[in-house]
């Protein structure tokens, strides 16, 4: 499917920020070995910006006998190509399997670089991308311009489901979850004990909520917390070896919901809610004010509709 | 420099002159908008205009949703405010709201649609006939005014049309009123959907005396929401009445304890 720069319907999941420059640099993704045959490719803890080419989400590379396994293909064709080359260089084999954790374009738009691999996602993620892909493409081209050159959205096969998959001798436990979006795939790499959480987990970087279902998200976090693992790769932010990122994500989401409901209860409007004080325990969280502002836009009308009483009866 | 001294001098003399009596040169636009002179000519019709930091226009640090861009205008630092106009220079429907705070503070918050990167401003008319203007540039991708409303896409707009929600919070210096109305706010810029929007909203006291009056245009967001601050005298029950461009009338009653009740319901 070619992602057309069409008319945008419905809620846009990308913030509109400063105007993009025409200039595009070269991607240079770097890998950190985090276990036997597994590498983290960290994204910048920033917003989508021309300065980072949209490379803000974490990707993971794993070695297998059947070829490299990649989790999340990144924001663009250019990034995907650099990631594929890195995977081949690290594992000695070209990528053969790609998992897309969820719909958001910082995770899903590099797939065209993996033409010879099977690209899998949860069925809900494919449905989400069929609906929102053209709108994302429009926003990504506008924001990142030259970085997006040649990028076409490749829809993943809806082949991922709850259960254990053995690919090239590597055992992966797939978990079909939701809450950050309608379909959130988490993957436990059994050999290294690495939980690859996608955007269900953020670490020292404020969570994003454009498609959030908060109760479902908390339920997903509970399942991740109950899944024994040695370390967790969040969708954004550094590797978590101290078992803090899952709780931190839940803490932020609970604070966010409570604060916004209280703000509606005390008569504040959106702009005032976006200026609420952020607790000291989130002081080290990157992008906190920025994501609070975005979340007010996503969630506030919902809480107003729920809490403000009808007065026309 | 000579030019700005000259306009200062003219501004000073205008204070002593009936407002509409003489046309003044417009001050240069600090935002450098290509449409400033055009809009200013139409909106202010020769009345004196000053860019004034006492008019506070709060705009978000980013436009997350250009269909629903919050804008808050607080001009309480000015005396005797007669009218507040919120407008976006480069919107196809530039003026969003004209607010007349009859027995209310010079404060309004609402949400507007943006069609492209544009200055968003408030122009505040004081009793001396001077317009006080402030604002800032806001970035947005295309399509805020020319994309169909979410409820039109979903198809359920008629099921909820006219549903009015709201509450009142009693404060020492002001009574805060929040109101929301389910309405598609069609701009007329989407193919096959004619313009259809809320056009008037009034808050009155129990005796029917209007306290705050709004004229609303199609560039206000779908399901419009307004936050106002009434003078503390308006302690009793309030009436809300409105009308849209199709002649449909809306009405409701705001109970003085409504805000306290919501606050209690969400208290942790
Ligand atoms: Zn995401």
């Amino acid at each position: 499917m070619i992602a057309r720069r069409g008319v945008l319907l419905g809620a846009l999941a990308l913030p509109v920020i400063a105007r993009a420059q025409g200039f595009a640099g070269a991607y240079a993704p770097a890998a950190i070995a985090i276990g036997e045959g597994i590498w983290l490719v960290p994204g910048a803890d920033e917003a989508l910006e021309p300065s980072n080419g949209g490379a803000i989400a974490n990707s993971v590379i794993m070695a297998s006998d059947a070829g490299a396994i990649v989790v999340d293909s990144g924001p663009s064709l250019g990034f995907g190509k650099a990631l594929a080359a890195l995977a081949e260089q690290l594992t000695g084999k070209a990528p053969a399997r790609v998992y897309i954790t969820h719909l958001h374009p910082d995770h899903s738009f590099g797939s065209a670089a993996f033409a010879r691999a099977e690209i899998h996602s949860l069925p809900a993620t494919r449905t989400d991308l069929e609906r929102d892909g053209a709108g994302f493409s429009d926003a990504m081209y506008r924001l990142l311009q030259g970085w997006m050159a040649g990028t076409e959205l490749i829809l993943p096969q809806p082949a991922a489901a709850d259960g254990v998959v053995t690919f090239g001798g590597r055992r992966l436990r797939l978990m079909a979850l939701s809450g950050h979006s309608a379909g959130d795939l988490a993957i436990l790499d059994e050999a290294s004990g690495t939980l690859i959480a996608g955007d269900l987990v953020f670490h020292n970087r404020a969570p994003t909520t454009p498609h959030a279902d908060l109760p479902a998200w908390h339920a997903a976090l509970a399942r991740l917390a109950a899944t024994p693992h040695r370390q967790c790769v969040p969708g954004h932010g550094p590797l978590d070896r101290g078992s803090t990122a899952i709780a931190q994500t839940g803490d932020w989401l609970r604070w966010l919901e409570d604060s916004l409901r209280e703000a509606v209860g005390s008569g504040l409007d959106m702009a005032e809610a976006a200026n609420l004080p952020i607790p000291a325990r989130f002081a080290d969280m990157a992008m906190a004010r920025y994501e609070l502002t975005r979340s007010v836009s996503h969630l506030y009308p919902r809480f107003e509709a729920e809490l403000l009483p009808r007065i026309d009866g | 420099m000579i030019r700005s001294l000259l306009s200062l001098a003219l501004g000073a003399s205008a204070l002593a002159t009936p407002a509409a009596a003489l046309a003044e040169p417009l001050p240069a636009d600090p935002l450098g908008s290509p449409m400033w002179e055009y809009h200013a000519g139409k909106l202010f019709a020769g009345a004196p205009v000053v860019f004034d930091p006492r008019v506070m226009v709060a705009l978000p640090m980013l436009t997350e949703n250009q269909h629903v861009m919050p804008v808050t205008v607080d001009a309480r630092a000015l005396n005797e405010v007669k009218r507040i106009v919120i407008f976006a220079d480069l919107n196809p429907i530039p003026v969003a709201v004209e607010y007349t705070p009859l027995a209310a503070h010079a404060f309004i918050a609402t949400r507007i649609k943006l069609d492209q990167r544009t200055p968003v401003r408030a122009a505040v008319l004081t009793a001396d006939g001077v317009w006080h203007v402030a604002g800032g540039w806001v970035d947005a991708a295309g399509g805020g005014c020319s994309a169909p409303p979410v409820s039109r896409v979903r198809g359920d707009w008629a099921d909820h049309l006219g549903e009015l929600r709201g509450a009142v919070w009693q404060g020492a210096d002001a009574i805060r009123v929040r109101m929301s109305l389910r309405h598609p706010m069609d701009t007329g810029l989407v193919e096959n959907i004619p313009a259809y929007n809320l056009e008037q909203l009034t808050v009155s006291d129990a005796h029917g005396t209007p306290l705050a009056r709004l004229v609303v245009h199609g560039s206000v967001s779908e399901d419009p929401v307004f936050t106002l601050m009434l003078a503390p005298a308006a302690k009793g029950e309030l009436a809300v009445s409105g009308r849209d461009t199709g002649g449909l009338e809306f009405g409701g009653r705001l109970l003085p304890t409504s805000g306290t009740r919501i606050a209690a319901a969400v208290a942790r």
Side-chain angles (χ1 to χ4, degrees), chain B residues 152-165:
Chain B
R152 287 276 183 200
V153 176
R154 261 195 331 252
D156 69 345
W157 68 274
D159 301 344
H160 300 284
L161 179 67
E163 286 180 12
L164 197 56
R165 293 177 184 276

Side-chain angles (χ1 to χ4, degrees), chain B residues 120-198:
Chain B
V120 174
R121 313 185 198 247
V124 179
L125 176 66
T126 42
D128 56 7
V130 177
W131 286 94
H132 306 256
V133 181
W137 280 92
V138 176
D139 201 14
C145 281
S146 45
V150 176
S151 66
R152 287 276 183 200
V153 176
R154 261 195 331 252
D156 69 345
W157 68 274
D159 301 344
H160 300 284
L161 179 67
E163 286 180 12
L164 197 56
R165 293 177 184 276
V168 175
W169 289 261
Q170 314 286 335
D173 307 323
I175 292 172
R176 183 175 276 240
V177 174
R178 304 202 67 221
M179 301 166 287
S180 72
L181 174 75
R182 292 293 297 270
H183 202 288
M185 297 298 284
D186 295 311
T187 57
L189 302 168
V190 182
E191 236 179 303
N192 300 324
I193 306 176
Y196 178 49
N197 59 268
L198 173 68

Side-chain angles (χ1 to χ4, degrees), chain A:
Chain A
M1 173 184 158
I2 294 174
R4 288 184 201 285
R5 306 186 57 193
V7 175
L8 194 59
L9 300 180
L12 180 62
L14 298 175
V16 175
I17 54 164
R19 314 202 81 187
Q21 306 294 305
F23 169 78
Y27 291 104
I32 304 166
I34 58 171
E36 186 63 39
I38 181 167
W39 293 264
L40 166 64
V41 181
D45 292 334
E46 298 167 358
L48 288 167
E49 280 165 20
S51 59
N52 55 40
I56 61 169
N58 292 330
S59 291
V60 172
I61 295 168
M62 288 176 277
S64 91
D65 299 338
I69 303 167
V70 170
V71 181
D72 283 345
S73 60
S76 63
L77 177 67
F79 181 88
K81 281 183 171 168
L83 183 64
L86 184 60
E88 182 159 2
Q89 179 203 322
L90 290 168
T91 67
K93 289 193 165 74
R97 171 67 59 86
V98 176
Y99 288 104
I100 301 297
T101 57
H102 67 294
L103 80 159
H104 291 149
D106 46 333
H107 300 258
S108 63
F109 264 51
S111 297
F114 299 87
R116 282 173 299 154
E118 300 166 323
I119 301 169
H120 288 185
S121 75
L122 295 174
T125 299
R126 183 184 167 100
T127 308
D128 283 346
L129 279 168
E130 283 171 345
R131 184 194 62 221
D132 290 341
F136 286 161
S137 184
D138 194 42
M140 293 288 276
Y141 269 92
R142 179 178 181 278
L143 194 61
L144 301 174
Q145 298 188 9
W147 289 101
M148 294 300 291
T151 301
E152 292 176 12
L153 173 60
I154 303 297
L155 288 174
Q157 301 170 44
D162 229 76
V164 172
V165 168
T166 304
F167 186 83
R170 196 156 194 125
R171 269 174 64 89
L172 304 175
R173 180 136 41 105
L174 306 191
M175 283 173 270
L177 302 168
S178 67
H180 174 70
S181 72
D184 291 300
L185 177 65
I187 301 173
L188 179 69
D189 172 48
E190 292 191 348
S192 66
T194 304
L195 180 60
I196 305 161
D199 277 3
L200 287 170
V201 177
F202 284 69
H203 188 206
N204 293 341
R205 198 279 184 207
T208 71
T209 58
H211 296 93
D213 172 336
L214 296 174
W217 198 336
H218 286 294
L221 288 173
R223 183 154 165 219
L224 294 179
T227 303
H229 57 275
R230 274 204 285 276
Q231 57 188 5
C232 175
V233 174
H236 298 261
L239 179 72
D240 177 32
R241 287 195 158 123
S243 296
T244 58
I246 294 173
Q248 186 189 57
T249 303
D251 188 17
W252 171 273
L253 295 176
R254 226 168 280 115
W255 168 77
L256 180 69
E257 177 167 1
D258 289 347
S259 306
L260 296 190
R261 291 171 67 92
E262 277 184 3
V264 173
S266 48
L268 304 189
D269 199 272
M270 280 166 90
E272 294 163 320
N275 285 326
L276 286 172
I278 294 171
R281 66 185 189 276
F282 299 126
D284 292 334
M285 205 176 234
M287 309 300 292
R289 178 66 61 191
Y290 182 90
E291 293 303 340
L292 171 60
T293 305
R294 294 186 69 203
S295 291
V296 166
S297 175
H298 308 143
L299 304 173
Y300 214 64
R302 222 184 279 177
F303 294 141
E304 286 174 331
E306 179 194 325
L307 294 168
L308 292 179
R310 286 282 288 274
I311 60 169
D312 53 353

Side-chain angles (χ1 to χ4, degrees), chain B residues 35 38-39 86-97 112 217 219:
Chain B
M35 295 295 282
Y38 175 79
H39 289 310
I86 299 173
F87 68 102
D89 293 33
L90 303 182
N91 257 5
I93 304 171
V95 174
V97 172
I112 66 173
H217 299 273
S219 45

